[in-house]
Amino acid sequence: LDEPDTELLGESGTALLDEGESTMPLFEPVSFYPYFIRCSTNERIVIDKPVFRIGKERSYVDCFISNNNAISRSHADIITRGTRYYICDRNSTNKTYRNGCILTPEDEVEIFDGDLIQLANENFEFHTA
């Protein structure tokens, strides 16, 4: 005789799992982060922090640009607020541009999917998904 499927319930009426039984859901929620494509190398740079700093001083930044001396040590920040994104030039020596327009240092400028961001003489494409 086949035994019916049974569950052992705890005092609260909740089914008890065997120690080896997975408690992970079948589908994990997926998080998407905005990213840059570095045009000179096609490198994809994922922006995974609320304030994401780009520059050439490894100890100061989240994205280290090693092979471009025109980039400042702490060149620019990408700031995430909900589903909106901003770029802020950190008073860099060789400036930051959005779609060819120079940014005023320390001003936050909203950026959008497909924007071309230039840090000194280095070009990046910004994407949101």
Side-chain angles (χ1 to χ4, degrees):
L1 288 175
D2 290 329
E3 292 186 19
D5 291 334
T6 59
E7 293 182 24
L8 179 59
L9 298 178
E11 291 179 16
S12 66
T14 302
L16 299 174
L17 298 175
D18 292 335
E19 285 184 31
E21 195 170 349
S22 173
T23 58
M24 296 298 296
L26 292 176
F27 299 99
E28 289 291 318
V30 178
S31 295
F32 293 99
Y33 294 104
Y35 63 93
F36 276 123
I37 299 293
R38 186 177 179 188
C39 297
S40 64
T41 63
N42 283 329
E43 176 185 7
R44 182 179 172 135
I45 302 161
V46 176
I47 301 164
D48 59 357
K49 294 174 66 176
V51 177
F52 188 87
R53 185 157 292 170
I54 303 170
K56 70 174 181 186
E57 180 64 42
R58 188 182 300 269
S59 61
Y60 295 147
V61 300
D62 301 300
C63 175
F64 171 60
I65 307 293
S66 63
N67 56 352
N68 187 327
N69 290 332
I71 302 279
S72 292
R73 289 182 298 167
S74 181
H75 199 104
D77 289 344
I78 304 302
I79 302 158
T80 302
R81 290 196 182 98
T83 58
R84 298 175 77 175
Y85 307 98
Y86 303 85
I87 189 164
C88 180
D89 180 87
R90 304 308 302 170
N91 204 26
S92 65
T93 301
N94 292 308
K95 312 297 181 211
T96 301
Y97 303 81
R98 181 180 69 88
N99 297 328
C101 296
I102 194 168
L103 302 184
T104 302
E106 305 300 332
D107 281 354
E108 294 179 13
V109 175
E110 190 166 6
I111 55 177
F112 302 93
D113 187 61
D115 278 354
L116 181 63
I117 304 299
Q118 183 177 336
L119 307 180
N121 60 355
E122 188 82 43
N123 290 312
F124 300 83
E125 290 177 15
F126 177 74
H127 296 283
T128 56

